[in-house]
Amino acid sequence: MKNRTAGFFLIFCALLFSSCGEPTAPENLLEEDRYIAVFTELVVVNQIEEENLDGVSREYLKEQIFEEFGVTKEQFEQSHRYYQQNPEEHIRRLDKIEDILTEQRDRFQDRLNEDRKQIADSLTAADSISMPDPIPEPADTSQMNGAENLNHVN
């Protein structure tokens, strides 16, 4: 019985130590920068509110992202599983994604503020344009006699 328990213990330890080694990278692992770029786009798609999709499915948008970056869904998912196996490094990648999204948001906000200022400036400029004096109404000539009528025309 002791030999059997010792055997199970050795097998358990061997399995434990073999699973603690470096994870094996998939053959078609995305390079980290490409993975981050795809992941960033997928985060954006997942954040779009349903009513803003205008009938386009999220899956379709995700397929377009994979196509744009020249990767397959399976390749991304395998890379994602691999990169998640090292939590500290994956947190670093997620922080980088957050920085990219924050930078994009800030650029968009700056552009939006610029556009709003241009619109406000153009409205202010339109308000400051002076209107010409209105054209005076012609005098009522029905009450005038013939001589007055001639003088009024000249």
Side-chain angles (χ1 to χ4, degrees), residues 12-131:
F12 174 75
C13 288
L15 288 174
L16 181 67
F17 288 117
S18 68
S19 66
C20 291
E22 279 295 310
T24 305
E27 285 182 30
N28 56 356
L29 178 69
L30 294 176
E31 61 187 39
E32 188 171 307
D33 289 340
R34 195 170 182 194
Y35 167 79
I36 288 172
V38 173
F39 196 112
T40 302
E41 294 296 318
L42 293 173
V43 168
V44 171
V45 166
N46 285 331
Q47 294 301 310
I48 298 173
E49 293 182 16
E50 199 66 40
E51 62 268 6
N52 293 332
L53 288 173
D54 291 332
V56 177
S57 74
R58 281 186 214 289
E59 283 308 309
Y60 173 78
L61 293 174
K62 290 175 183 180
E63 288 170 15
Q64 295 300 305
I65 291 168
F66 294 136
E67 187 176 308
E68 178 183 334
F69 286 94
V71 302
T72 64
K73 180 179 180 177
E74 294 76 25
Q75 185 181 11
F76 176 79
E77 288 174 348
Q78 288 173 355
S79 298
H80 185 65
R81 281 191 295 275
Y82 172 77
Y83 285 130
Q84 282 184 317
Q85 291 179 18
N86 184 339
E88 290 163 2
E89 283 297 307
H90 198 58
I91 288 171
R92 182 189 55 77
R93 282 186 283 280
L94 294 175
D95 288 342
K96 189 171 183 179
I97 290 168
E98 182 180 14
D99 291 344
I100 292 167
L101 291 172
T102 300
E103 181 182 320
Q104 288 176 351
R105 183 205 60 211
D106 292 348
R107 270 199 326 264
F108 177 77
Q109 189 63 51
D110 289 346
R111 174 90 188 260
L112 184 61
N113 291 341
E114 258 181 51
D115 290 350
R116 285 181 177 159
K117 184 179 179 333
Q118 281 183 334
I119 290 170
D121 290 348
S122 68
L123 292 175
T124 302
D127 286 344
S128 68
I129 296 174
S130 63
M131 296 297 290

